[in-house]
Amino acid sequence: SVYPHDGDDTETLLNKADIAMYYAKDHGKNQFSFYFDDLKTDAKRTFTLDSELRKAISNKNEFEIYYQPKVNYQKQQIIGMEALVRWHNEILGNVSPGEFIPYAEETGLIIPLSEIILEKVCLDAHELIGYGYKMPIAINISSIHFHQPNFITSIQQILERNNLPANHFELELTERTIMNNEKETTRKLILLKHMGFKLSLDDFGTGYSSLSYLVEFPLDCLKIDQSFIKQICSVSDKQAIVHAIIQMAHRLQMSVIAEGVEQRDQVKLLGEMDCDMIQGYYYSKPVPLDEIMEFLEFWELEIEGK
């Protein structure tokens, strides 16, 4: 509903009604909102975000891929990297993935956006291979995109256009993604494995999936959610959970990666727990392609110098 300010004419009241209604719908069904200035600002932001995101997807040039390395702690080797999309817009500036990714999922724009990301990662992969860096690149897969009927076909076509085999890539899926429509999910995961993709379960520990499903799905890796890693050195329960996940995954012939690692003590403790891979700011924040290649070169020089 709309609170009628003194002096508002009919057109103004109608505009405010639209804004209040939009805000209520945007924050869930069966809600109502009173108009106030912050609603107007919020609605304008959403309208602009929608318009600019659609333009960016159309021209494809505003998106850039950043990369964060994955380190094998025991061998001190970089064995892969995760691709993360960044968006700079002339009007909105640097837009957080935490803002535009959920909006893209809500509107269905995540499907063309995901295909743009994969295309850009393929181009970067060719450049990395040209410099001698041949390691799997992990790509986050949206639940909405994964459950599209043509998901497998669209990914296959992108790889064929770029003349790259699937074994250059790792697909990261969340628990929520694989828990929807178990039979169809299993079929798709098996097809992806046969194509050559590595498959990882992202943000493990934050969902509600049955552990028995881990046996049924052809997964290669579990990624422990960073919420556990943050308190691993200070909260004994978190430490126990992480240790149990690592042991369970190894018994199931899966490797484990800890994400969001920022402190030396965390790295040391994870190493003692026999965690296979470390990812986080302790080694490197996500950086553009040219900077990740510099990082890889520096890493090689450091290892050779020891």
Side-chain angles (χ1 to χ4, degrees), residues 204-249:
F204 184 74
T206 61
Y208 302 96
S209 63
S210 168
L211 295 179
S212 64
Y213 290 153
L214 295 179
V215 180
E216 299 176 24
F217 295 141
L219 301 169
D220 298 290
C221 180
L222 295 184
K223 291 191 74 175
I224 303 175
D225 186 70
Q226 58 185 339
S227 62
F228 293 100
I229 305 303
K230 283 181 179 178
Q231 298 176 303
I232 192 175
C233 295
S234 57
V235 180
S236 59
D237 287 350
K238 299 286 187 182
Q239 187 177 133
I241 290 171
V242 170
H243 195 196
I245 291 172
I246 293 171
Q247 290 182 316
M248 176 191 65

Side-chain angles (χ1 to χ4, degrees), residues 122 124-135 164-165 168 293:
C122 284
D124 289 348
H126 276 296
E127 193 161 349
L128 285 162
I129 293 168
Y131 280 89
Y133 301 121
K134 190 177 179 181
M135 59 185 69
L164 281 170
H168 280 282
M293 287 200 288

Side-chain angles (χ1 to χ4, degrees), residues 177-220:
T177 299
I178 67 172
M179 286 300 296
N180 290 331
N181 195 345
E182 179 192 346
K183 185 176 180 180
E184 180 63 14
T185 294
T186 303
R187 184 188 72 83
K188 284 186 177 180
L189 292 178
I190 291 172
L191 282 173
L192 291 168
K193 280 287 290 184
H194 285 166
M195 289 170 65
F197 286 107
K198 287 185 65 178
L199 302 175
S200 293
L201 186 56
D202 197 12
D203 301 332
F204 184 74
T206 61
Y208 302 96
S209 63
S210 168
L211 295 179
S212 64
Y213 290 153
L214 295 179
V215 180
E216 299 176 24
F217 295 141
L219 301 169
D220 298 290

Side-chain angles (χ1 to χ4, degrees), residues 3-16:
Y3 186 85
H5 292 265
D6 291 339
D8 285 340
D9 57 24
T10 302
E11 183 178 358
T12 301
L13 286 174
L14 288 173
N15 287 337
K16 291 181 176 182

Side-chain angles (χ1 to χ4, degrees), residues 84-148:
L84 299 158
V85 66
R86 296 293 183 263
W87 179 31
H88 179 79
N89 177 261
E90 288 186 0
I91 295 175
L92 296 170
N94 291 318
V95 188
S96 167
E99 180 180 14
F100 74 84
I101 294 293
Y103 187 80
E105 290 182 329
E106 179 186 334
T107 57
L109 293 172
I110 193 65
I111 298 168
L113 176 58
S114 296
E115 292 175 351
I116 290 170
I117 292 169
L118 185 52
E119 289 274 8
K120 287 181 175 290
V121 171
C122 284
L123 293 176
D124 289 348
H126 276 296
E127 193 161 349
L128 285 162
I129 293 168
Y131 280 89
Y133 301 121
K134 190 177 179 181
M135 59 185 69
I137 300 174
I139 302 170
N140 292 283
I141 300 299
S142 162
S143 177
I144 294 171
H145 190 204
F146 179 80
H147 289 292
Q148 292 299 305

